[in-house]
Amino acid sequence: MKLYIKQKVFSWRDRFAVKDEYQNDRWFAKGEMFSLGRKLHVYDANEVEVAFIRRKLFSFLPRYFIELGGQQYEFVKEFKIRPQFTIRNLDWVIDGNFLAHQYTVNNSMGNIMSIQKAWFSWGDSYELNIVYPQYELLCLCVVLAIDCIMADASSSSSNTIRVHR
């Protein structure tokens, strides 16, 4: 199964539209405008909230919590030589080439999903190839959490004050 995520560019807050391979609307996500830490609400096509993603404040490494179906998953960027993410409460590991924006999600049984980010597009755009359709919503939340972490990293590096001598 394939999903396509497209970030809306001209918006005061994060907004994502998600379509399936037949261009049918599947999900959408909206960020909160005025909040401490990044927060995203994920809705189905009928505008019913189905998941919530929030950043843990005051954490050394980026951490996000995904609340879905009455369960909470902790999404953590590991401190390694190359970027790697893990999801606590699941045996999922996200690995890949983060500079090329190509990732895979694996567990002990094998591949769960592959993620490809489009390079030259307005806003962030992702293609998800999901192996197990029952994980569709959780896979979507994982990609949105990755996008949040990468956006946090780029905004913090662009907000750095440099002193020239």
Side-chain angles (χ1 to χ4, degrees):
M1 138 175 261
K2 288 191 177 187
L3 289 180
Y4 297 91
I5 302 173
K6 178 71 177 152
Q7 182 180 25
K8 297 190 182 205
V9 178
F10 300 107
S11 176
W12 289 101
R13 57 186 171 175
D14 289 330
R15 296 176 74 101
F16 298 88
V18 182
K19 296 184 181 283
D20 65 14
E21 54 202 309
Y22 306 106
Q23 295 302 309
N24 298 317
D25 291 330
R26 295 286 298 163
W27 315 97
F28 63 96
K30 292 181 187 176
E32 291 184 11
M33 190 178 307
F34 301 108
S35 67
L36 288 174
R38 193 178 298 260
K39 296 176 183 169
L40 284 174
H41 299 270
V42 181
Y43 301 91
D44 66 11
N46 298 319
E47 298 188 24
V48 175
E49 186 173 347
V50 292
F52 179 60
I53 303 166
R54 65 181 171 83
R55 181 178 184 185
K56 180 178 181 179
L57 297 176
F58 311 115
S59 176
F60 177 69
L61 295 173
R63 293 177 188 269
Y64 276 81
F65 292 102
I66 298 170
E67 297 174 16
L68 169 67
Q71 293 191 359
Q72 181 171 297
Y73 304 96
E74 186 177 3
F75 187 82
V76 181
K77 182 177 181 184
E78 298 291 339
F79 187 71
K80 305 228 176 190
I81 293 172
R82 61 188 179 109
Q84 185 179 29
F85 299 97
T86 58
I87 303 172
R88 306 252 165 90
N89 310 344
L90 283 176
D91 66 341
W92 290 16
V93 175
I94 297 94
D95 203 2
N97 186 338
F98 292 92
L99 295 176
H101 299 288
Q102 296 176 350
Y103 321 101
T104 57
V105 179
N106 299 297
N107 69 2
S108 58
M109 297 184 57
N111 186 264
I112 301 289
M113 167 181 60
S114 61
I115 307 159
Q116 174 73 40
K117 183 176 179 183
W119 275 98
F120 301 106
S121 65
W122 283 91
D124 293 333
S125 298
Y126 297 92
E127 178 183 292
L128 286 59
N129 190 359
I130 302 168
V131 177
Y132 302 103
Q134 68 267 28
Y135 294 132
E136 174 183 0
L137 185 54
L138 184 54
C139 287
L140 170 62
C141 290
V142 164
V143 174
L144 292 172
I146 290 172
D147 184 77
C148 287
I149 288 174
M150 299 309 235
D152 290 345
S154 68
S155 68
S156 67
S157 66
S158 66
N159 291 335
T160 303
I161 300 172
R162 293 181 176 87
V163 178
H164 299 283
R165 294 176 189 223

